[in-house]
Amino acid sequence: MTGPFATIGRLGLSFFQELGGPVILARKTLFWVTIAPFRKRPAGFFNSPDTFRQAEAVGVKSIPIVLLVSSLIGTILVLQTAYQLEKFGQVRLVAQGVAVTLVRELGPLMTAIVLIGRVGSAFTAELGNMKINEEVLALDTMAINPVGWLVVPRALALAVMQPCLSIFSCLTGIFGGFLMGVGVFGIPPNVYIDQTIRGLVLQDIVSGLLKSLTFAVIISMICCYKGLAVQGGAEQVGEATRNSVVASLVLVIAADAVFTAVINVFF
Amino acid sequence: MTDDNEKVPEKGSDELAAAKARAKATAERKLAESSVGKASTDDEKNETKTDDPRAEEPKAEEPKPEEPKADEPKPDAEPTKDEPKKDEPKKEEPAPAAAKRSSSRGKDRPPMIVVKGLKKSFGDRVILKDVNYEIERGKVVVIMGGSGSGKSTMLKCLIGAHPIDCGEIWLDGAQLSGPDVDHLDSTKRHVIWNDARRKFGVLFQSAALFGSMTVGENVALPIRFHTDLAEETIDIMVKMKLDQVGLGHAEDLLPSEISGGMAKRAGLARAIALDPKVIFYDEPSAGLDPIVVTVVDHLIKDLSKALGITSVVITHVMESAFRIADEIVMLYQGEVIFRGTPEECQASDDDRVKQFIAGEVPVRDEDELPAFLDDVL
């Protein structure tokens, strides 16, 4: 079948097929996190030392790169905003703008982008390699559920560490902006701090953290699913890793847009 | 693991004892009929139903009594009153026959693995057409065949990695795939398979050791996961399993630090960690030098003998197959074309079997030759 409608139909179908796998994986992961631990033999995440190993790899080892990127984003934001506000003689307002933008939007988003590149791709490559080396099948034949054993530790680690990293990211970004605002634009430090605190409300912080959590779920599900779905050899692992990064980026930004729209309309 | 035959009264071949046994059995039967009515319990019915996949054809598959061996351990227990009905038919037999049967312990238990009418295809590509065979307990059975004959697919079906299109798979008297299971929901099927998976171990072609764990941790994984044993006990078990495969010194090494042969043996130690009844070997000789192949072959044979494990070996290496096999099943284009002992395999008249053993390229009919060869020939 050809024609525009057929093309649109095919694209829509493949989109939902691509989305369906991660959604089913998310349902299974939820089962292993919420129900399995209360069974006689949980066999789930806390049986696995992998949870802590992943938390370290995902969180602790990502701190330097997240801090670096965030501080740079903070300084860039101050430079760009102050350049505009200088025309109106309102440079001191830059602190409010930067704080709100970082906490509500850029902190969680930049953290997610860094983690997609650093952690999500590693999830896909690692699980993909395990799949082609029959390690996933070996788990199955030992009656150990691969979702409980492999996916849950990664999903939990990311879900806990990503909001933490977002907080670090926001604080570092604000600090970078502070240095730039005080050092280059001559804003008094106490004014900058006062403006930052005045600009933020609890809703901004909560929405930022919720966004981080949502992004963590999206990244872990997409990347783990792509890894477990690998069939073939090394080439397919590379392709799956590439696809998982692209899909995660697109979905995170789309989710960000939806999230922001919902919060702005309803709250 | 109880064997019904162990409870058959054993009085040797003495005629007097036989007469006593007959009289006692008749009396017990009458007592049971009068008091219970429906003699067998539901449990017994279920047991009969699920434990013998060959129940539909009892006459054809009735094992022949064997002569009792001198060193066979004699069951010492008299039948208990708790289970009068189970032993009843055996008690009605003349005592010598019962003695002979009890001496061939396990012979009338169902085969360890039964495959009936197995079909499997991927899309339009039919891989397994109609595969039937049985694997007796404690035997080393080699499934052979060339590339594309369906032997790897067969293994994946047997371990539950691929769902089958139709047919039946039985393991240790329980149906894993087939009409009794197919109508169940996926959770129940999953439970059935997981129960079965605790009865078998798999040695994968690549050994499939987890790279982030040491060899010892790899072996400990299934024990830690499926038992509540203390860590000290698990450590002892891991050492024992590694010693059994000659890797006692490699417990703390990572899979990346050991050779291919050692990885295979470590994989084998992990496969026997939970004392399985069956071990599936997927191409155990692949990628190993001839000496290590021989070592692995001896290991397979020794484990089978020492632990009474049923071994199913997928391979295409003839020397290895003849060395270890009690029985050879040969697949060709998704069908079983030969089943028998290694000697029977070597003496087979089937051209396909002979070609495979000799490693000859099959001669094609002239009709099948490509057209461009017409001018040449």
Side-chain angles (χ1 to χ4, degrees):
Chain A
M1 263 177 73
T2 53
F5 289 111
T7 309
I8 292 168
R10 268 197 299 273
L11 284 174
L13 204 61
S14 66
F15 173 76
F16 283 110
Q17 278 171 347
E18 284 289 306
L19 208 60
V23 169
I24 292 169
L25 183 63
R27 184 181 65 78
K28 289 182 178 173
T29 308
L30 196 65
F31 166 83
W32 281 97
V33 173
T34 55
I35 296 171
F38 299 102
R39 293 196 167 175
K40 188 186 168 195
R41 180 158 294 284
F45 56 93
F46 53 75
N47 261 359
S48 168
D50 213 21
T51 308
F52 295 101
R53 196 174 65 85
Q54 291 296 337
E56 188 193 354
V58 167
V60 180
K61 291 184 178 171
S62 297
I63 289 175
I65 181 77
V66 167
L67 296 190
L68 177 68
V69 170
S70 304
S71 58
L72 290 174
I73 291 287
T75 55
I76 292 166
L77 267 178
V78 168
L79 281 171
Q80 294 289 9
T81 318
Y83 172 70
Q84 297 294 324
L85 289 174
E86 251 185 340
K87 294 174 187 170
F88 307 101
Q90 295 291 331
V91 179
R92 63 175 59 194
L93 288 180
V94 77
Q96 280 193 28
V98 168
V100 170
T101 312
L102 276 170
V103 171
R104 288 180 66 132
E105 196 64 52
L106 283 181
L109 190 62
M110 291 314 295
T111 309
I113 289 171
V114 168
L115 289 182
I116 287 171
R118 194 183 172 278
V119 174
S121 56
F123 282 179
T124 309
E126 199 177 353
L127 295 183
N129 266 316
M130 290 183 79
K131 180 82 185 297
I132 62 170
N133 287 335
E134 296 180 317
E135 290 172 40
V136 177
L137 183 56
L139 279 176
D140 254 334
T141 57
M142 287 189 277
I144 300 173
N145 191 297
V147 175
W149 192 255
L150 297 174
V151 178
V152 169
R154 287 165 174 77
L156 271 183
L158 201 57
V160 172
M161 299 313 280
Q162 188 156 344
C164 298
L165 285 172
S166 283
I167 294 170
F168 283 135
S169 166
C170 295
L171 291 175
T172 321
I174 290 169
F175 181 67
F178 171 82
L179 291 180
M180 187 58 68
V182 172
V184 176
F185 294 100
I187 305 170
N190 60 333
V191 172
Y192 194 97
I193 293 168
D194 183 52
Q195 286 290 326
T196 301
I197 294 170
R198 194 177 290 180
L200 287 174
V201 291
L202 186 64
Q203 184 194 324
D204 298 332
I205 298 166
V206 172
S207 75
L209 290 177
L210 283 176
K211 267 187 190 178
S212 287
L213 190 63
T214 312
F215 295 162
V217 172
I218 290 172
I219 295 168
S220 57
M221 289 305 108
I222 298 268
C223 294
C224 289
Y225 171 75
K226 290 282 183 188
L228 289 175
V230 167
Q231 297 214 324
E235 191 184 340
Q236 281 71 31
V237 175
E239 194 182 326
T241 308
R242 195 165 53 238
N243 289 342
S244 72
V245 168
V246 172
S248 301
L249 274 174
V250 171
L251 275 175
V252 159
I253 291 169
D256 189 22
V258 172
F259 211 100
T260 308
V262 168
I263 284 180
N264 285 347
V265 170
F266 293 104
F267 300 101
Chain B
M1 243 176 51
T2 57
D3 188 340
D4 289 346
N5 290 330
E6 288 176 16
K7 298 184 179 71
V8 175
E10 168 92 327
K11 301 288 182 186
S13 58
D14 183 89
E15 283 296 324
L16 182 63
K20 276 184 185 173
R22 278 201 301 275
K24 192 176 177 184
T26 313
E28 279 185 7
R29 187 189 60 188
K30 281 178 182 170
L31 183 67
E33 278 174 357
S34 61
S35 61
V36 180
K38 283 181 185 179
S40 56
T41 63
D42 288 343
D43 284 350
E44 285 169 342
K45 280 181 185 171
N46 292 339
E47 199 171 57
T48 313
K49 187 184 171 189
T50 56
D51 272 10
D52 190 357
R54 300 178 304 177
E56 301 151 17
E57 43 206 354
K59 285 177 186 172
E61 300 294 333
E62 187 70 16
K64 290 175 186 174
E66 291 178 4
E67 286 299 322
K69 292 173 187 170
D71 57 346
E72 190 74 24
K74 289 185 180 178
D76 50 8
E78 283 288 324
T80 57
K81 285 183 180 176
D82 296 337
E83 42 200 24
K85 201 66 188 173
K86 273 186 188 172
D87 297 342
E88 190 184 313
K90 291 159 193 164
K91 286 174 193 166
E92 285 183 337
E93 294 172 2
K100 281 175 189 173
R101 180 172 290 185
S102 68
S103 70
S104 58
R105 194 164 58 175
K107 281 284 177 185
D108 51 358
R109 293 170 72 190
M112 183 54 84
I113 296 169
V114 178
V115 176
K116 275 186 186 175
L118 175 60
K119 290 179 185 169
K120 176 69 189 169
S121 51
F122 294 103
D124 296 334
R125 207 155 49 93
V126 180
I127 307 294
L128 299 171
K129 287 172 186 165
D130 181 20
V131 178
N132 298 281
Y133 60 83
E134 293 162 4
I135 294 176
E136 296 297 335
R137 290 162 190 271
K139 301 277 185 191
V140 178
V141 176
V142 174
I143 298 178
M144 298 183 69
S147 300
S149 60
K151 57 187 191 303
S152 291
T153 306
M154 165 74 69
L155 177 76
K156 298 271 169 71
C157 291
L158 287 177
I159 63 175
H162 288 330
I164 61 173
D165 294 345
C166 70
E168 295 174 25
I169 296 175
W170 296 73
L171 182 97
D172 196 21
Q175 192 178 94
L176 305 182
S177 297
D180 292 352
V181 177
D182 290 346
H183 68 278
L184 299 174
D185 61 46
S186 64
T187 311
K188 285 179 182 164
R189 285 204 303 270
H190 195 68
V191 169
I192 289 172
W193 268 106
N194 272 358
D195 285 344
R197 282 171 178 148
R198 289 171 204 177
K199 293 180 187 171
F200 66 71
V202 184
L203 173 59
F204 290 94
Q205 192 171 344
S206 59
L209 297 173
F210 301 110
S212 58
M213 298 178 179
T214 64
V215 169
E217 286 169 345
N218 266 284
V219 178
L221 178 63
I223 308 173
R224 201 166 275 150
F225 202 88
H226 290 301
T227 67
D228 294 318
L229 295 172
E231 280 300 310
E232 296 79 27
T233 318
I234 293 174
D235 281 348
I236 294 167
M237 284 179 73
V238 168
K239 283 188 173 65
M240 278 171 55
K241 300 296 173 190
L242 286 172
D243 280 338
Q244 275 180 319
V245 297
L247 279 183
H249 60 285
E251 188 180 346
D252 298 324
L253 297 176
L254 285 168
S256 57
E257 296 168 338
I258 59 177
S259 67
M262 287 169 77
K264 282 269 164 77
R265 286 188 282 158
L268 188 50
R270 190 179 65 184
I272 60 172
L274 289 175
D275 296 326
K277 295 181 176 179
V278 185
I279 300 182
F280 295 100
Y281 299 84
D282 186 13
E283 303 274 7
S285 316
L288 301 180
D289 67 66
I291 296 169
V292 181
V293 168
T294 311
V295 171
V296 173
D297 286 349
H298 283 301
L299 205 52
I300 294 170
K301 198 73 183 165
D302 291 347
L303 280 175
S304 180
K305 270 186 189 169
L307 306 177
I309 295 173
T310 308
S311 303
V312 182
V313 185
I314 307 282
T315 188
H316 56 260
V317 181
M318 296 306 305
E319 299 81 19
S320 183
F322 289 139
R323 197 155 44 214
I324 60 175
D326 292 320
E327 188 179 24
I328 288 177
V329 175
M330 192 171 283
L331 288 176
Y332 181 78
Q333 294 184 350
E335 287 176 299
V336 175
I337 55 165
F338 172 81
R339 195 181 150 201
T341 61
E343 294 75 29
E344 288 168 349
C345 181
Q346 281 169 312
S348 172
D349 292 334
D350 192 314
D351 287 341
R352 294 165 298 182
V353 176
K354 283 199 281 190
Q355 280 165 0
F356 189 80
I357 293 172
E360 291 169 353
V361 180
V363 179
R364 304 162 77 183
D365 294 338
E366 277 185 25
D367 296 344
E368 291 180 25
L369 289 172
F372 72 89
L373 284 177
D374 287 346
D375 300 331
V376 182
L377 297 173

